[in-house]
Amino acid sequence: MIELLAQTGLNSLYAAAYLSLVAVGLVLIFGVMGVINFAHGELFMLGAYVVVALYSGFGVPYILVAAIGLIFVGCIGILMEFTIFRPLRDSPLGGLVASIGFLLIAQALVSMGFGVRMEHVPPVTQEVIVFSEKVRLPLQRLFVILAAVMFLSLLWIFLRRTRFGWALRASAQDAEAAALQGISIRQTSLIAMFVGAGLAGIAGVLTAPLISVGPHMGHAVIVAAFIVIIVGGIGSLEGAIVASVAYAFIHTIVTTFWDGVIADITGLSLMLLVLIVRPTGLFGTTDRA
Amino acid sequence: MPSQLTRAGLWLLLICMLLAVPHGLSFSQQEILVFLTINVLVVTSYRLLALTGEWSLGHVVIMGVGAYASALASKELGIAVPVAMITGALTAALVAFGLSYPLFRMKGFYFLIGSFAAGEIIRLLWKRFRDPFGGPKGIKKIEPMPDFDIVIWRFDFFEPVSYYYFCLVVVGLSLWIMWRIEKSPLGLTFHAIHWQDKLAESAGINVRAYKTLAFVIASGFSGLAGALLAHYIGTINPNSFDLEQMVFVLTWTIVGGTATFFGPILGCAALVILNEIVLREFGFEQGRPLIYGFVLILSVLFLPRGLEGLLQDFTGALRGRGRQGSRQ
């Protein structure tokens, strides 16, 4: 039983790692621009397809692929900012609907380029850390966990210690006041979009060798990310991380003892419950709706 | 204003056109016409909810509830198909009533996300419970409409033309009911809730009760559309009612515009016709999501009032009134 729990803990740590990367990006974009990016799961998917194209396709070294994935998906984020979020700044619902349009385009383009079948990326490393008979952690999963910790720490330093981060937090709190202080809203939006999208992209790059990659893989990710940001309190980065860990743990346990679909239903019901009982989320303070 | 007589004449012309349309088309185009007719009911019912200012992402799943309920009622319980369809519509309305309790505690995009979550839960339940929902493969071999004769015309419902006429009657009747609702004091209340919910509330209107009413009515008609679809195509599964379908409905509604009753119908017809004529002609059918994505973004960006806005500008210009006056 202890072993089973330990294994479940490791599995959920891995799930929490990539989920929090996606969710934190989503929250960052919401905080600065006030819009929910429905296509965030597709940014994750694009990151995974960078691995399919470069790593399985051309054998580019994995670490280089990771860097390219981060920058490429970050630039897609900038593209979204320019084309849809900036013109629709005054209508958050319009921005959300337009991002759904972007979701369709991304899925369709990837389906045309790569086909709709599932791709399997060759494993980067086959090594497994064996704690005991029943408790093992594949090295790639450890990579994901470590990378998530690293990127989230970098993000924290960026937000707390640099001028850009300071500007970002200021415009998340009050865009108008920030603009009066000489902070360029355009610039902070671009940075938020690049960082948010890049984090989703790197999550896709990291998990691609561990899961099957397909044009519609973003759906499960965005559903999980929605649950996490609603439960954690939309707009709260810490809440998103804590909720990711909690959700991943619950989801993994339910999957282990019942099955995956029941786990999804549990997660969604939890989210509905939070929406009913405490719409600001468990960690949120202000109601922005 | 056109006189009573010209009005009646126009309606007669429209009905004759609708009756004549399928006879000039190929078999596959006739089938598309059936789907188009059903989708007109979906978008119109979607607009009824949008009247109160809430945008749902669960409408297609509710349509699926109607489809599943109707299919199961006829298949498992042996209920006659027309009665099963009504059962489907009522089930959808009932499910919506149950969902309205949690959902209308939210508004704006909390409602949007909440309705999405609720829809996903229903879809996952279909997927998970093989008995009675058939799991991921869904329900197959759903009873078709039984044939019947009216004087000389034999209604064989495997024929798209016959089913089209049947849908025309059902959808026409439903549209008429929704039209009456919108023009009644009830419809005016919906509008009031959309534009001034706080004011409406302070004027003694129970906003939540009216929103629930709009949601239940809209869902009932959406369920009816689902039932019409299920007994025509004969097989449904959880993926028939997924987010992509929802996005299509959203696109039709937004492209058409929601200010008038006919906006979403216009959007639906225009996009389906564009889709079927242009894309099929060029053998680019897989490109449908791509085109819809672009159309959705472009219309949000450049056509905030939808096609109906364009049409109003156009007719306004013809009457020499220019652009103003048609704005909400």
Side-chain angles (χ1 to χ4, degrees), chain B residues 95-112:
Chain B
V95 168
F97 182 69
L99 287 178
S100 69
Y101 172 69
L103 289 184
F104 284 119
R105 294 178 66 101
M106 322 160 198
K107 56 184 191 175
F109 62 54
Y110 285 98
F111 179 83
L112 198 94

Side-chain angles (χ1 to χ4, degrees), chain A residues 37-135:
Chain A
N37 179 16
F38 220 98
H40 213 65
E42 273 50 47
L43 297 174
F44 176 87
M45 180 267 286
L46 287 175
Y49 269 96
V50 169
V51 180
V52 171
L54 296 180
Y55 181 71
S56 348
F58 295 104
V60 178
Y62 187 72
I63 191 85
L64 194 62
V65 172
I68 294 173
L70 176 74
I71 294 167
F72 171 73
V73 180
C75 290
I76 298 283
I78 288 184
L79 181 75
M80 288 179 76
E81 209 282 323
F82 267 122
T83 50
I84 56 182
F85 293 142
R86 180 170 299 181
L88 294 170
R89 169 160 281 281
D90 298 325
S91 81
L93 220 53
L96 190 151
V97 170
S99 76
I100 296 180
F102 188 86
L103 169 158
L104 284 185
I105 295 173
Q107 279 183 359
L109 287 180
V110 169
S111 305
M112 283 174 188
F114 293 87
V116 285
R117 75 195 159 83
M118 290 298 202
E119 307 268 353
H120 288 279
V121 175
V124 179
T125 163
Q126 296 276 32
E127 269 182 69
V128 175
I129 305 168
V130 181
F131 292 103
S132 77
E133 186 71 20
K134 285 194 189 116
V135 186

Side-chain angles (χ1 to χ4, degrees), chain A residues 30 96 234 259 271 276 289, chain B residues 102 105 109-110 112-113 128:
Chain A
F30 178 79
L96 190 151
I234 209 161
D259 63 69
M271 164 174 157
I276 296 163
Chain B
R105 294 178 66 101
F109 62 54
Y110 285 98
L112 198 94
I113 304 280
R128 175 63 174 69

